[in-house]
Amino acid sequence: MRHSGILGLLVILSMAPSLQAQRAGVVLALPASARAAGASDASPLATGASALFYGGHNMPETRAVSASAGTWLGGAQFSTVAVALPWRGSTFGVGVQALDYGSADEIIPDPLTGGVRGTATGDRVGASELAISAGVGRRVGAWRAGVAGTYVSQHVADASGHATGLDAGIGVTLHGWEASAAVQHLGGMLQLGAVSSPLVRTYRGAAASPAWRTALASLRAVAEYRSVEGEGATALLGGEGTWESVTGWQLSLRGAAASYSVETARAPWAAGGSAARGGWSLDYAYQGFGALGAVHRMGVTWRSRVARSPSL
């Protein structure tokens, strides 16, 4: 085996999401929205362009851009960017999610040592994943629906694999209460070398309360149950509180407590916050992973306050 120097990266690859070790497309299992990540990846809080990555049904009716970046476990780098554009009563979105595990020295194992030691070649090998998504969302009265397709590419050393997936979501708002459901990453198998794995197929059911308001503050509750096929389920309860100053600044705090059906290093809570003014928002999220450390996410969102003409 020529690339034993990549073993450390493969360990990270299998452990990074802590639940999806037997599934391909780890990048699809990570929180794609910095706002949602601050509440254990609760999909009702992914309301900007990044809603594309959660089924597409919550994409905004105005022009919007979302971007986020941060570290993941083992020093991996995770980043996302998404753009949403309304056109003829629908909103079209395109986005990219990227996960870079870094690189390691390439080593040729010495068979006399059983592969325990080897000789460095002077080259380096790396691992990365990339997912490109495109979708459309539409609102009709109290109802909203979305669909998105995703192309996933995974590279480990000189091996690579590709797969496609499909997301679909639907939601309804009644008297300010929201309910939604989505299925994500329906697709084929990703073949990487001799290993073939399915995508991280995920099912979500979520609810959100109306925003309970006072003169300068509001509070909103969210709940979600999601299941990754063959890997376990997560139930969470959280909320988001927002305070608005007389000068137009909006400061938000959000968080959630989660329960997992299988043992995981992921902490049972997550927290985050935002500072917004006008159409711009700077977002932050924190999630602990016990002895594995913690991950931090920063994001920026922009959303036009004026909807484009339906004829554009």
Side-chain angles (χ1 to χ4, degrees):
M1 178 178 178
R2 180 177 177 80
H3 297 295
S4 63
I6 201 67
L7 289 178
L9 294 176
L10 292 175
V11 170
I12 297 171
L13 238 170
S14 63
M15 293 180 62
S18 76
L19 284 181
Q20 292 81 11
Q22 303 302 316
R23 295 294 184 264
V26 170
V27 67
L28 300 177
L30 307 187
S33 162
R35 291 176 57 85
S40 294
D41 203 26
S43 60
L45 296 183
T47 54
S50 60
L52 166 70
F53 303 124
Y54 293 82
H57 54 290
N58 277 337
M59 281 197 293
E61 296 180 284
T62 60
R63 291 171 292 170
V65 179
S66 298
S68 69
T71 58
W72 194 247
L73 300 182
Q77 300 294 316
F78 178 51
S79 57
T80 69
V81 62
V83 178
L85 294 171
W87 188 69
R88 296 188 180 277
S90 300
T91 300
F92 293 84
V94 62
V96 176
Q97 301 171 81
L99 183 61
D100 184 358
Y101 296 99
S103 61
D105 291 333
E106 181 185 55
I107 298 175
I108 299 177
D110 183 353
L112 298 179
T113 66
V116 176
R117 293 191 298 271
T119 303
T121 66
D123 293 331
R124 294 183 67 82
V125 289
S128 63
E129 295 186 19
L130 182 71
I132 303 174
S133 300
V136 59
R138 189 175 181 91
R139 298 173 185 249
V140 179
W143 291 89
R144 58 193 185 277
V147 64
T150 301
Y151 170 81
V152 185
S153 177
Q154 186 179 75
H155 297 269
V156 178
D158 56 2
S160 62
H162 312 280
T164 57
L166 180 69
D167 299 357
I170 189 170
V172 63
T173 303
L174 297 173
H175 304 293
W177 291 86
E178 298 181 9
S180 62
V183 59
Q184 298 175 266
H185 322 318
L186 298 173
M189 307 290 285
L190 190 149
Q191 185 79 30
L192 187 69
V195 179
S196 181
S197 305
L199 295 179
V200 285
R201 183 175 298 182
T202 304
Y203 304 91
R204 294 178 183 260
S209 74
W212 298 303
R213 300 182 182 276
T214 64
L216 294 176
S218 65
L219 179 64
R220 187 182 186 218
V222 296
E224 183 172 76
Y225 178 87
R226 63 177 177 267
S227 174
V228 178
E229 190 170 280
E231 300 295 344
T234 300
L236 67 88
L237 182 64
E240 180 181 52
T242 300
W243 174 79
E244 184 171 357
S245 73
V246 295
T247 59
W249 281 97
Q250 290 184 330
L251 302 179
S252 301
L253 292 176
R254 61 187 66 91
S259 174
Y260 308 105
S261 66
V262 297
E263 185 176 351
T264 174
R266 191 186 300 267
W269 61 274
S274 298
R277 183 179 173 85
W280 291 91
S281 175
L282 180 65
D283 310 308
Y284 169 77
Y286 170 92
Q287 175 79 70
F289 282 84
L292 296 177
V295 295
H296 304 269
R297 292 284 299 284
M298 293 296 298
V300 61
T301 60
W302 173 81
R303 185 169 174 174
S304 172
R305 290 188 158 188
V306 180
R308 299 183 68 182
S309 169
S311 63
L312 295 180

